[in-house]
């Protein structure tokens, strides 16, 4: 077949200068009879024949199938136990296959880079969560170690993250309070001095009672978050990720970055918690800035200078040196900017005694060694179930989103359910070792990928670096000024804050996605993080419902010379078939859109006038015995606000319009009798039966499912069409739709022989029926005998 054969003919005409011949002009020729759905299933072998299953039978079938598969795969024995262990700990499967010669050098270098970056970030995000800095080191070690064993992403760097720390801060601030907000425990003013002589009692480990209370609440949050994630992983709720679109995650993280940025104003400007308290709940960011501008005159110049110098150093290293192509030639890994400023800050602060000389708050206490096992605060767990549910979803969403991003880049797969389990075990175990909820970090994961990390060996090296700091180097970080940590957090948020530019790009691409980003961004920014996430997910789901509520319902026309049917409002050469109206629904038919689809269908098919006349001759009140079996509950009057279909035949009840015009039927039969692929199979209806002379074909190729209301809509439409002498045909119905029609007893209205494999089969059937009607009521019209002989021969030889 040449390209010239694929071009449409130059003399294609349509009504008002156009033709609608059923004769093809392409080189593709297929000879087969008209195939309705039952005949197609019988001829080509439906794999699972039998009646449609009820909901209870379907559940039993699925459970039986899964159980049989499970028994076949997991026979009792050592092999079964080993396979089950590997499903929970994928590291046991990939470590024996690890290519040490090719990967170990790059993974070790990346692990050292991310490890030294994790130390200052862990301490900074721990302070952001309202906990002692050392808790960030514990959170960077224990959950990361379990993620190395159980995680499926090769590039995600687990540990502390700004958004998660901020959400944890709300829980801790609500149920434990801040050190400076409780004068009964300490009179610490945030400037390194005490306003009084009261000695703060110390517990084992060097923590105050309030700090211990804060850590217990944080551990309770981690433990309960882990339980939620374990439950979701075991139940296979990894599919929840489909409701977290990229625009939703971007809008959420961008708005949350503003919250995190705002939370560091106190550290950067040297303001105590009493001067700039931590707000929670609705409009927290607005209240924070109102208070900030009221107390800005009380800011400490030394803290501002330290934070400013730290930020300048970070920006120069991260955005100029590490991205400079000439410098990157000589550096195997990026310069660890955070580690540089931490070392400089701690050394200079120790040398000049910033705490006493410049009245600057320092980290002050970093205990050495691993913490002993400690019980979380069980009493607060009933109160934080909702907060930890949001934490579980957010941490999972961020981790899986990053994992899928890097998996797509490096061509491997990530298991959402296994990610749930990996996060769960790390949080549950960490809940007994002074950890707070953990998740993947955007910045560290990007650094891990850029520095050449290709497997989770990077996490093992990262844990080793953090463990060395916990066991030996922790006290060296005690002089570190908190403004340095605040600047580290602020600068690390720049790439998240830049996402606000997505509003400009999405406006050019998709209005719906633009509104999703904007709604979740404003909800999180103005209201609160957890409330904003709920509003964002609800709105994203609503956008899908709104688009399905008024789907595209198009009138279809035939492409001349082919058996293809396309929308007449899209293709200029698509022409409507005489006395057959074809309508396609581009959405599932369910309770929310059934009334709208019915209105559009009647408009496009030209049934409105005929239905109106039928209703005028029908009594409003019918006897109970004559009530229809369907229950189309949506009786609202839906207006069709789209352009009416042009060139649509107006139908009349059968009693009024009588028989078809002989000449039009003759023209139709002449066209159908040509020696081409448009031969027809004669119908089998008996003489005297009421055969509709007009047909409406409902193309269900885009209908993935129907519910009970959707089936009732089909019943009602079929019944009303039958009353006015119109036959409703279905084409391209999938197995789920046919099963639903059978369960709801819709086959009493739409017979199996009225469902066709393709639209073309339905159209040829309609022409055949109209020809038969004309043959009965008018003088005989000859049909090409060679066509009938060929069809009968094909039926006999089963070659169709």
């Amino acid at each position: 077949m040449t390209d010239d054969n694929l071009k449409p003919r130059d003399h294609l005409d349509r009504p008002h200068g156009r033709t609608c011949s059923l004769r093809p002009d392409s080189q593709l020729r297929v000879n087969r009879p008209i195939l309705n759905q039952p005949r197609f299933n019988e001829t080509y072998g439906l794999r699972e024949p039998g009646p449609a299953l009820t909901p209870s039978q379907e559940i039993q079938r699925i459970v039986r199938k899964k159980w049989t598969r499970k028994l076949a795969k997991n026979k009792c024995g050592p092999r079964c136990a080993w396979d089950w262990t590997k499903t929970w700990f994928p590291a046991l499967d990939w470590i024996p296959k690890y290519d040490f010669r090719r990967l170990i050098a790059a993974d070790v270098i990346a692990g050292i880079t991310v490890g030294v970056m994790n130390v200052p970030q862990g301490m900074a995000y721990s302070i952001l969560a309202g906990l002692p800095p050392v808790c960030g080191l514990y959170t960077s070690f224990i959950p990361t170690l379990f993620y190395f064993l159980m995680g499926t992403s090769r590039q995600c760097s687990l540990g502390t993250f700004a958004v998660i720390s901020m959400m944890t801060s709300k829980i801790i601030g609500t149920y434990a309070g801040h050190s400076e907000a409780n004068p009964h425990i300490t009179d610490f003013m945030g400037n390194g001095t005490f306003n009084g002589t009261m000695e703060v009692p110390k517990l084992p480990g060097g923590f105050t009672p309030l700090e211990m209370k804060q850590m217990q609440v944080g551990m309770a949050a981690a433990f309960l978050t882990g339980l939620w994630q374990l439950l979701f992983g075991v139940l296979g709720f990894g599919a929840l990720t489909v409701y977290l679109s990229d625009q939703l995650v971007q809008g959420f993280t961008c708005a949350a970055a503003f919250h995190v940025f705002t939370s560091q104003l106190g550290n950067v400007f040297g303001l105590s918690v009493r001067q700039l308290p931590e707000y929670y709940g609705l409009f927290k960011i607005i209240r924070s800035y109102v208070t900030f501008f009221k107390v800005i005159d009380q800011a400490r110049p030394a803290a501002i200078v330290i934070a400013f110098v730290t930020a300048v150093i970070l920006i120069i290293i991260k955005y100029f040196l590490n991205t400079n192509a000439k410098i990157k030639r000589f550096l195997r890994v990026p310069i660890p900017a955070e580690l540089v400023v931490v070392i400089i800050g701690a050394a200079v602060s120790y040398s000049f005694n910033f705490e006493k000389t410049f009245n600057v708050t320092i980290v002050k206490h970093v205990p050495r060694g691993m913490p002993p096992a400690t019980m979380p605060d069980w009493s607060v767990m009933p109160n934080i179930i909702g907060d930890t549910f949001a934490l579980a979803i957010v941490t999972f969403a961020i981790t899986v989103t990053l994992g899928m991003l890097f998996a797509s880049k490096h061509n491997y797969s990530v298991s959402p359910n296994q990610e749930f389990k990996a996060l769960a075990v790390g949080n549950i175990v960490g809940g007994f070792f002074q950890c707070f909820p953990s998740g993947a970090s955007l910045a560290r994961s990007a650094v891990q990928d850029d520095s050449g990390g290709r497997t989770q060996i990077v996490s093992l090296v990262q844990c080793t670096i953090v463990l060395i700091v916990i066991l030996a180097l922790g006290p060296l970080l005690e002089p570190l000024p908190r403004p340095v940590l605040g600047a580290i957090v602020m600068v690390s948020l720049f790439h998240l804050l830049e996402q606000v530019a997505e509003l400009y790009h999405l406006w050019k691409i998709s209005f719906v996605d633009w509104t999703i980003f904007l709604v979740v961004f404003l909800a999180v920014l103005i209201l609160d993080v957890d409330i904003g996430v709920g509003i964002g997910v609800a709105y994203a789901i609503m956008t899908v419902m709104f688009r399905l509520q008024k789907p595209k319902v198009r009138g279809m026309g035939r492409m001349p010379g082919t058996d293809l049917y396309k929308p007449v409002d899209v293709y200029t050469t698509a022409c409507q078939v005489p006395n057959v109206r074809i309508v396609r629904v581009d959405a599932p038919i369910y309770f929310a859109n059934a009334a709208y689809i019915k209105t559009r269908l009647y408009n496009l098919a030209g049934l409105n006038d005929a239905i109106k006349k039928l209703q005028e001759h029908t009594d409003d009140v019918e006897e109970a015995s004559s009530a229809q079996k369907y229950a189309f509950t949506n009786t609202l009057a839906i207006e069709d606000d789209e352009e009416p279909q042009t060139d649509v035949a107006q139908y009349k009840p059968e009693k009024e319009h009588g028989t078809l015009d002989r000449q039009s039927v003759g023209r139709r039969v002449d066209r159908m009798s040509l020696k081409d692929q448009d031969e027809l199979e004669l119908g089998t209806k008996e003489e005297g039966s009421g055969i509709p002379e007009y047909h409406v074909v409902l193309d269900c190729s885009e209908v993935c499912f129907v519910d009970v209301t959707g089936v009732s809509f089909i019943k009602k439409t079929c019944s009303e069409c039958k009353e006015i002498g119109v036959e409703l045909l279905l084409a391209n119905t999938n197995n789920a739709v046919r099963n639903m029609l059978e369960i709801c007893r819709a086959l009493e209205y739409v017979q199996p022989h009225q469902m066709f494999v393709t639209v073309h089969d339905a159209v040829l059937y309609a022409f055949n029926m109209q020809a038969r009607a004309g043959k009965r009521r008018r003088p005989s019209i000859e049909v090409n005998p060679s066509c009938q002989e060929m069809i009968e021969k094909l039926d006999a030889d089963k070659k169709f």
Side-chain angles (χ1 to χ4, degrees):
M1 186 184 299
T2 63
D3 294 340
D4 295 337
N5 294 329
L6 297 175
K7 297 179 181 179
R9 293 177 298 179
D10 296 333
H11 62 277
L12 289 178
D13 297 324
R14 299 186 61 185
H16 308 295
R18 300 174 293 181
T19 62
C20 185
S21 174
L22 291 176
R23 179 177 181 176
D25 63 344
S26 65
Q27 297 299 316
L28 179 64
R29 296 179 181 275
V30 178
N31 294 322
R32 65 169 178 82
I34 303 172
L35 291 175
N36 56 30
Q37 195 64 51
R39 187 175 185 182
F40 181 84
N41 295 343
E42 180 182 359
T43 303
Y44 293 102
L46 182 64
R47 183 173 294 275
E48 294 184 0
L53 301 179
T54 63
S56 60
Q57 293 172 338
E58 183 68 19
I59 293 174
Q60 293 175 11
R61 185 191 68 83
I62 293 174
V63 171
R64 186 166 52 250
K65 184 177 179 180
K66 288 184 175 293
W67 181 252
T68 303
R69 186 182 302 171
K70 184 73 69 174
L71 290 179
K73 289 185 176 180
N74 300 315
K75 296 181 179 179
C76 295
R79 181 71 179 180
C80 172
W82 177 245
D83 291 340
W84 182 85
T85 304
K86 287 195 299 183
T87 59
W88 277 81
F89 299 94
L92 299 177
D93 186 40
W94 62 263
I95 286 180
K97 307 173 185 177
Y98 183 77
D99 189 350
F100 281 88
R101 178 177 298 180
R102 185 173 61 90
L103 299 175
I104 190 63
D107 284 346
V108 169
I109 293 174
I112 295 173
T113 304
V114 178
V116 297
M117 181 181 178
N118 208 351
V119 172
Q121 282 197 352
M123 298 173 65
Y125 294 150
S126 182
I127 294 174
L128 175 61
L131 296 170
V134 71
C135 293
L137 300 179
Y138 301 151
T139 306
S140 300
F141 174 70
I142 295 176
T144 306
L145 184 61
F146 280 95
Y147 191 80
F148 157 72
L149 296 172
M150 302 181 64
T152 58
S153 174
R154 303 173 188 173
Q155 277 77 33
C156 282
S157 176
L158 213 70
T160 59
F161 181 51
V163 174
I164 302 172
S165 298
M166 186 188 61
M167 297 179 68
T168 305
S169 174
K170 176 185 176 182
I171 299 175
I172 295 174
T174 302
Y175 297 100
H178 292 284
S179 299
E180 302 172 59
N182 195 335
H184 299 288
I185 296 180
T186 178
D187 195 25
F188 182 61
M189 295 299 296
N191 54 10
T193 63
F194 288 91
N195 187 14
T197 59
M198 183 180 65
E199 186 69 23
V200 179
K202 298 288 184 178
L203 298 177
F207 298 109
T208 66
L210 181 58
E211 289 174 336
M212 199 65 198
K213 175 67 174 178
Q214 293 169 339
M215 288 189 294
Q216 287 179 329
V217 174
M219 289 188 291
F223 180 81
L224 202 53
T225 300
L227 286 183
W228 278 117
Q229 292 169 335
L230 183 63
L231 177 65
F232 294 151
V234 171
L235 295 180
F237 282 6
L240 289 173
T241 53
V242 300
Y243 296 104
L244 302 170
S245 65
D246 293 342
Q247 292 72 37
L248 190 147
V249 173
Q250 289 175 347
F252 162 72
T253 54
C254 182
F258 281 95
H259 283 278
V260 177
F261 189 91
T262 303
S263 67
Q264 295 303 302
L265 292 176
N267 285 331
V268 169
F269 286 86
L271 299 171
S272 66
V273 175
R274 288 187 177 181
Q275 293 170 322
L276 184 60
E278 185 76 19
Y279 293 103
Y280 302 101
L282 302 178
F283 312 109
K284 57 178 287 187
I285 196 170
I286 298 176
R287 291 185 289 169
S288 296
Y289 276 103
V290 170
T291 305
F292 171 72
F293 286 111
K294 288 181 180 179
V295 299
I296 187 66
D297 57 329
Q298 304 176 27
R300 295 186 176 87
I304 298 175
V305 171
I306 293 173
F308 177 77
V309 172
T310 301
V312 170
I313 296 175
L314 289 172
I315 292 173
I316 291 175
I317 295 177
K318 297 177 71 172
Y319 294 97
F320 291 96
L321 298 182
N322 285 344
T323 58
N324 191 304
K326 296 181 179 179
I327 297 178
K328 289 174 69 176
R329 295 176 185 173
F330 303 98
L331 297 176
R332 181 68 181 273
V333 296
I335 300 174
E338 289 84 358
L339 182 63
V340 171
V341 297
V342 165
I343 294 175
I344 295 175
V348 175
S349 175
Y350 177 79
S351 302
F352 294 95
N353 197 358
F354 279 4
E355 182 183 13
K356 294 182 179 179
T357 306
F358 300 103
N359 211 12
V360 174
T361 307
I362 61 175
V363 172
K364 203 164 190 177
H365 177 63
V366 181
R368 181 181 297 173
M370 287 297 297
T374 309
M375 289 292 116
D377 189 352
W378 307 106
S379 62
V380 302
M381 288 189 180
N383 301 322
I384 63 175
I385 289 179
D387 294 319
T388 53
F389 177 84
L391 265 172
I393 297 299
V394 171
T395 55
F396 169 75
I398 295 174
T399 304
V400 172
T401 301
L402 283 174
M404 291 189 297
L405 176 66
F406 292 118
S408 176
K409 179 179 178 181
H410 297 286
N411 195 26
Y412 65 92
S413 60
V414 173
S415 171
N417 291 323
Q418 184 60 29
E419 291 294 296
F420 258 136
K421 298 174 185 177
L423 293 171
V425 174
N427 282 321
I428 291 174
V429 176
F432 294 96
F433 292 93
Q434 300 178 9
C435 298
F436 57 92
S438 60
S441 167
L442 297 176
R444 292 196 306 274
S445 299
V447 171
Q448 179 170 326
D449 181 60
D450 293 340
S451 56
R454 292 296 175 265
T455 69
Q456 275 298 335
I457 291 293
V458 177
S459 295
L460 183 62
V461 178
Q462 171 188 344
C463 290
T464 304
I465 299 297
V466 176
L467 183 62
I468 293 174
V469 175
I470 293 174
L471 297 179
L473 304 180
L476 298 178
L477 300 175
E478 291 181 353
L480 182 65
R482 289 201 178 190
V484 173
L485 297 178
I488 291 174
V489 173
M490 283 187 170
V491 174
S492 67
L493 296 173
F494 283 178
H495 68 285
L496 295 178
L497 298 175
E498 291 173 355
Q499 291 183 133
V500 73
E502 283 297 313
L503 284 171
Y504 174 75
H505 300 300
L506 289 174
W507 178 257
K508 296 181 177 180
I509 301 173
S510 170
F511 175 76
V512 174
D513 291 332
W514 178 81
T515 60
I516 292 175
F517 186 103
L518 184 63
V519 167
V520 68
F521 175 79
L522 293 178
V524 173
L525 186 66
I526 298 175
L527 300 178
D528 204 354
V529 176
D530 49 356
I531 298 176
V533 171
I535 293 176
V537 173
Y539 179 78
I541 296 175
M542 287 174 61
T543 58
V544 178
M545 295 178 62
F546 288 152
R547 280 183 280 187
L548 292 178
Q549 186 175 355
K550 283 193 173 184
K552 289 292 185 181
V553 182
R554 300 177 181 274
M556 308 291 287
R558 188 177 181 216
M559 308 301 290
T562 72
D563 61 348
L564 304 177
Y565 294 82
K566 298 297 180 180
V568 295
D569 58 344
V570 176
Y571 291 90
T572 58
T573 58
C575 56
Q576 292 180 339
V577 180
N579 292 322
V580 178
R581 289 296 172 263
I582 309 167
V583 179
R584 188 183 73 191
V585 180
D586 293 345
I589 304 175
Y590 67 113
F591 65 93
N593 63 10
Y596 175 79
I597 292 175
K598 183 173 183 291
T599 303
R600 290 285 296 150
L601 172 64
Y602 279 35
N603 183 20
L604 293 172
L607 301 174
N608 290 323
D609 292 342
I611 295 295
K612 185 177 180 180
K613 291 181 179 180
L614 175 66
Q615 292 174 348
E616 291 176 354
H617 294 84
T618 304
D619 294 335
D620 293 337
V621 180
E622 299 181 357
E623 297 180 1
S625 60
S626 63
Q628 298 291 351
K629 297 180 180 180
Y630 52 79
F632 187 51
T633 57
N634 196 339
T635 57
L636 297 177
I638 306 296
E639 294 186 1
D640 186 1
D641 54 358
E642 298 188 25
E643 290 294 330
Q645 186 72 26
T646 59
D647 192 25
V648 176
Q650 297 297 326
Y651 295 96
K652 298 180 180 180
E654 185 176 0
K655 294 180 181 180
E656 297 183 13
H657 63 59
T659 58
L660 290 173
D661 177 69
R662 177 180 177 183
Q663 293 182 356
S664 63
V665 174
R667 286 195 300 269
R668 235 175 279 122
V669 174
D670 289 342
R671 289 172 180 172
M672 293 188 293
S673 302
L674 294 174
K675 295 180 180 181
D676 54 27
Q677 69 175 19
D678 291 335
E679 285 88 0
L680 298 176
E681 177 187 8
L682 294 179
T684 59
K685 286 200 173 184
E686 300 178 356
E687 288 289 336
S689 60
I691 301 177
E693 297 173 346
Y694 292 86
H695 292 80
V696 174
V697 179
L698 184 60
D699 182 3
C700 301
S701 57
E702 302 296 328
V703 179
C704 55
F705 72 90
V706 294
D707 66 354
V708 176
T709 305
V711 174
S712 298
F713 145 73
I714 295 177
K715 291 180 181 180
K716 184 175 179 65
T717 303
C718 183
S719 177
E720 292 183 348
C721 287
K722 186 177 180 180
E723 291 293 333
I724 61 174
V726 175
E727 186 177 9
L728 179 66
L729 307 177
L730 302 183
N732 292 317
T733 56
N734 60 32
N735 193 50
V737 172
R738 295 194 300 272
N739 287 342
M740 196 65 184
L741 293 175
E742 181 178 348
I743 293 173
C744 297
R745 300 183 179 179
L747 298 184
E748 300 175 7
Y749 298 82
V750 182
Q751 300 294 326
H753 71 271
Q754 294 174 310
M755 291 184 284
F756 295 87
V757 179
T758 67
V759 174
H760 196 56
D761 287 294
V763 172
L764 296 180
Y765 167 85
F767 270 62
N768 183 46
M769 290 298 100
Q770 293 172 17
R772 290 289 304 270
K775 181 179 179 180
R776 273 187 208 97
R777 300 177 184 178
R778 299 289 184 181
S780 176
I781 300 176
E782 295 294 333
V783 180
N784 191 338
S786 62
C787 299
Q788 180 65 18
E789 293 175 2
M790 178 189 66
I791 294 172
E792 292 175 355
K793 185 177 183 301
L794 288 174
D795 284 341
D797 296 339
K798 297 295 183 180
K799 293 183 179 180
F800 56 94

